[in-house]
């Protein structure tokens, strides 16, 4: 039995009344675990056909996210090569709720203001289909790095990842975004069952401080949301002070908004931990083609013609890839030293911003040659690479031995035309190899090797 803080128990008894005993008993129940299929990589039905984590016929979907599936602890999807390939994101089921309410779609401008570790950003990106502009921000540098890594693993092309304060961003983006998610840092009461360390950090004073911080973040979000836009505010806590009272306070300060919907998930009523989400609609309309205010304007890029090394690599090793659009006069490559990025169309200027990722990292120019990035491999599909090597062609879904050798950094012996190869696991890209003299040199990043 979890030892809950006394002040927390008193407050929850007052909130839940007769349902409180059921709530307390839920802490002795089994923790729910789920994964969310990354539709940038695969279709849900294709995933169900290829996976081996649960019986397809009895697969249980997360009620509020059709791409989410529950799994048993014994499945261990985090140890499967599909995880490294970004085929899915392991995510607490209740945490999938806010994005399901956001209504994200292609060709929009969307901000995830408190984005680490990246579960909700990657969920938003899957609904955007790599079309439009997604800004993923995290104020803490270490967590921002994890966010950037998850954006890479899931093959996302249209995201700018920053490490800034909400206040700084609100000075640069005036009524710019169509949709904003504020999954605010909170007292974490909804995670007590999952993370007992949160219990030791909890206090009524911390709840109050969190509520104040959340209100300030929401006010910054208002400055960045266009008229008619949607704001979703969410927390993983039960406190009314951080949830309903914060929403009420925001509406009082910003009477032009309308509360569309409010949802609460409790562990004794849903298969998941505690979560809260509110959907707020900003009043007004905007004309067609509205851009909003950008203090530094749009980012200027260069043409593929200006980076011969990458153009040569593309001609030799890629086909049907988005970068071929650049040959038609687009200037979407951004160069930082020797590093090349394919920026989203219409990406705002990164001047003055702490940037971790400015779109899709293509790779690096080294001594007049181009070396592709791991991010580029993960963003590619089989039909976009001139050479592919399937690491697990066996019909047995559980036979991943060769794939695991690759993930361990082993050199493989193979025959074929020399050059760069997109390494795949059941058709899903997982990294690069370079073949020369029947030796496939392993280019899986050393920091990721098992």
């Amino acid at each position: 039995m979890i030892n809950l803080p006394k002040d927390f128990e008193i407050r929850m008894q007052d909130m839940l009344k007769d349902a409180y005993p059921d709530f307390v008993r839920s802490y002795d129940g089994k923790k729910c675990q789920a994964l969310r299929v990354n539709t940038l990589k695969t279709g849900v039905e294709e995933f169900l056909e290829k996976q081996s984590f649960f019986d397809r016929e009895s697969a249980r979907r997360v009620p509020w996210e059709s791409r989410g599936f529950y799994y048993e602890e014994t499945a261990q999807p985090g140890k499967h090569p599909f995880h490294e390939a970004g085929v899915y994101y392991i995510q607490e089921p209740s945490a999938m709720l806010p994005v399901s309410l956001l209504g994200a779609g292609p060709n929009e401008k969307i901000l995830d203001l408190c984005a680490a570790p990246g579960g909700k950003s990657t969920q938003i990106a899957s609904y955007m289909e790599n079309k439009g502009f997604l800004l993923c921000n995290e104020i803490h540098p270490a967590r921002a790095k994890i966010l950037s890594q998850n954006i890479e693993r899931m093959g996302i092309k249209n995201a700018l990842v920053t490490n800034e304060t909400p206040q700084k961003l609100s000075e640069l983006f005036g009524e710019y975004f169509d949709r904003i998610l504020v999954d605010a840092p909170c007292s974490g009461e909804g995670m007590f069952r999952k993370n007992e360390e949160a219990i030791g950090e909890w206090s009524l004073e911390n709840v109050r401080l969190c509520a104040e911080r959340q209100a300030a973040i929401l006010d910054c979000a208002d400055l960045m949301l266009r008229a008619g836009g949607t704001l979703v505010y969410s927390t993983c806590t039960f406190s009314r002070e951080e949830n309903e009272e914060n929403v009420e306070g925001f509406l009082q300060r910003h009477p032009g908004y309308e509360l569309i919907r409010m949802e609460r998930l409790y562990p004794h009523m849903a298969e998941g931990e505690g979560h809260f989400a509110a959907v707020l609609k900003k009043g007004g309309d905007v004309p067609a083609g509205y851009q909003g205010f950008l203090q530094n304007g749009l980012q200027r890029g260069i043409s593929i013609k200006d980076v011969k090394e990458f153009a040569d690599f593309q001609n030799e090793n890629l086909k049907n890839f988005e970068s071929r659009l650049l040959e038609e006069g687009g200037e979407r490559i951004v160069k930082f030293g020797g590093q090349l990025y394919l920026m989203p169309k219409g990406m705002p200027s990164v001047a003055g911003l702490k940037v971790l990722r400015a779109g899709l990292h293509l790779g690096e120019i080294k001594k007049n040659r181009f070396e592709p990035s791991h991010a580029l491999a993960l963003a590619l599909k089989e039909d976009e690479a001139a050479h592919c090597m399937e690491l697990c062609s066996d019909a047995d879904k559980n036979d991943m031995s060769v794939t695991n050798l690759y993930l361990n950094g082993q050199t493989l012996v193979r025959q074929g035309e020399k050059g760069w190869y997109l390494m795949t696991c059941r058709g899903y890209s997982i990294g690069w190899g370079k073949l020369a003299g029947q030796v496939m040199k392993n280019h899986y990043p050393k920091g990721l090797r098992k």
Side-chain angles (χ1 to χ4, degrees):
M1 178 65 186
I2 294 178
N3 186 23
L4 298 171
K6 194 64 180 177
D7 286 336
F8 173 75
E9 288 187 305
I10 292 171
R11 196 194 66 207
M12 294 307 296
Q13 282 178 314
D14 183 60
M15 283 178 59
L16 296 175
K17 305 295 193 259
D18 293 343
Y20 180 72
D22 292 335
F23 171 77
V24 172
R25 279 192 291 272
S26 72
Y27 284 93
D28 292 328
K30 185 172 64 174
K31 300 172 186 176
C32 296
Q33 300 182 83
L35 58 81
R36 177 176 43 77
V37 178
N38 179 15
T39 51
L40 298 178
K41 288 268 188 174
T42 186
V44 171
E45 293 304 315
E46 178 184 312
F47 167 75
L48 290 174
E49 180 65 30
K50 292 183 177 182
Q51 60 82 33
S52 58
F53 307 123
F54 38 72
D55 181 70
R56 179 174 181 174
E57 300 305 317
S58 59
R60 295 193 305 115
R61 296 187 189 237
V62 175
W64 41 88
E65 171 53 87
S66 62
R67 302 168 183 183
F69 293 86
Y70 293 101
Y71 66 86
E72 297 298 322
E73 188 173 355
T74 54
Q76 298 185 310
K79 296 183 178 181
H80 196 284
F82 281 4
H83 181 266
E84 308 311 315
V87 178
Y88 49 77
Y89 191 101
I90 296 173
Q91 189 173 18
E92 199 284 309
S94 293
M96 300 179 193
L97 174 67
V99 173
S100 72
L101 300 176
L102 185 64
N107 303 313
E108 294 184 318
K109 300 188 290 289
I110 300 179
L111 167 63
D112 186 356
L113 190 51
C114 313
K120 296 178 178 67
S121 283
T122 58
Q123 190 179 1
I124 292 170
S126 71
Y127 282 99
M128 295 182 75
E129 302 174 4
N130 272 326
K131 300 171 184 175
F133 172 65
L134 174 61
L135 175 56
C136 312
N137 180 70
E138 173 56 43
I139 191 172
H140 298 289
R143 286 172 54 80
K145 184 177 180 181
I146 296 171
L147 165 65
S148 182
Q149 291 169 345
N150 280 320
I151 292 293
E152 173 176 290
R153 182 170 62 87
M154 304 301 274
I156 296 167
K157 302 177 185 177
N158 64 327
L160 173 64
V161 181
T162 58
N163 170 215
E164 290 291 354
T165 66
Q167 290 78 10
K168 173 69 175 291
L169 292 180
S170 68
E171 294 169 1
L172 301 177
F173 298 92
E175 298 189 342
Y176 180 76
F177 295 98
D178 300 305
R179 301 177 195 274
I180 297 178
L181 173 65
V182 177
D183 183 50
C186 66
S187 59
E189 296 169 356
M191 295 294 111
F192 282 0
R193 183 171 66 165
K194 182 181 178 183
N195 178 17
E196 293 191 32
E197 290 183 7
I199 297 175
E201 299 169 357
W202 185 91
S203 69
L204 290 175
E205 175 63 14
N206 188 43
V207 169
R208 184 185 65 79
L209 292 173
C210 285
E212 291 178 357
R213 185 190 309 126
Q214 293 152 358
I217 294 172
L218 280 170
D219 287 344
C220 290
D222 165 63
L223 296 173
M224 294 184 277
L225 186 66
R226 67 161 175 82
T230 298
L231 169 63
V232 171
Y233 171 66
S234 66
T235 73
C236 58
T237 200
F238 301 118
S239 161
R240 283 188 55 84
E241 192 173 352
E242 296 178 71
N243 294 333
E244 287 89 348
E245 291 179 17
N246 241 336
V247 171
E248 292 165 5
F250 178 81
L251 291 171
Q252 289 174 3
R253 297 191 303 276
H254 306 279
Y257 280 80
E258 177 187 1
L259 175 62
I260 302 298
R261 183 174 175 183
M262 207 149 46
E263 292 281 346
R264 263 187 181 272
L265 296 178
Y266 289 99
H268 66 292
M269 298 177 67
E271 290 187 272
E273 306 305 318
H275 226 87
F276 169 87
V279 183
L280 299 155
K281 187 81 169 178
K282 193 171 189 177
D285 297 301
V286 296
Y290 175 82
Q291 287 296 316
F293 171 76
L294 290 174
Q295 180 168 299
N296 297 322
L298 297 176
Q299 178 67 38
R300 294 188 63 180
I302 58 177
S303 167
I304 191 171
K305 298 176 183 177
D306 299 318
V307 277
K308 180 180 182 300
E309 298 87 350
F310 177 62
D312 291 343
F313 172 85
Q314 176 188 248
N315 291 332
E316 294 172 11
N317 299 286
L318 302 180
K319 57 182 182 178
N320 306 320
F321 180 59
E322 182 182 7
S323 62
R324 290 199 174 277
L325 298 173
L326 302 175
E327 297 175 350
E328 301 171 4
E331 297 183 337
R332 288 176 52 206
I333 291 181
V334 184
K335 187 176 181 182
F336 301 101
Q339 304 292 336
L340 299 183
Y341 287 80
L342 178 66
M343 67 178 179
K345 293 180 181 178
M347 186 178 80
S349 170
V350 299
L353 287 172
K354 297 175 186 174
V355 175
L356 283 79
R357 190 171 297 272
L360 174 62
H361 184 207
L362 296 172
E364 182 179 6
I365 297 174
K366 292 183 175 181
K367 298 179 181 179
N368 297 320
R369 63 180 175 82
F370 179 79
E371 184 165 305
S373 71
H374 186 56
L376 177 58
L378 292 174
L380 291 173
K381 293 182 169 60
E382 283 184 298
D383 64 355
E384 295 177 316
H387 304 100
C388 291
M389 182 164 289
E390 174 57 52
L391 295 170
C392 190
S393 58
D394 195 300
D396 182 358
K397 294 180 182 180
N398 295 306
D399 182 7
M400 296 288 176
S401 55
V402 179
T403 306
N404 284 320
L405 286 176
Y406 172 76
L407 295 175
N408 286 330
Q410 298 296 311
T411 297
L412 304 176
V413 178
R414 287 291 186 274
Q415 292 184 341
E417 188 177 338
K418 71 175 184 178
W420 288 96
Y421 278 70
L422 184 67
M423 313 301 279
T424 61
C425 175
R426 299 208 180 280
Y428 300 128
S429 60
I430 201 166
W432 290 110
K434 192 173 186 182
L435 187 63
Q438 298 186 16
V439 175
M440 181 67 75
K441 184 178 179 181
N442 194 318
H443 281 263
Y444 193 71
K446 291 181 179 179
L448 298 178
R449 293 177 184 178
K450 295 184 177 294

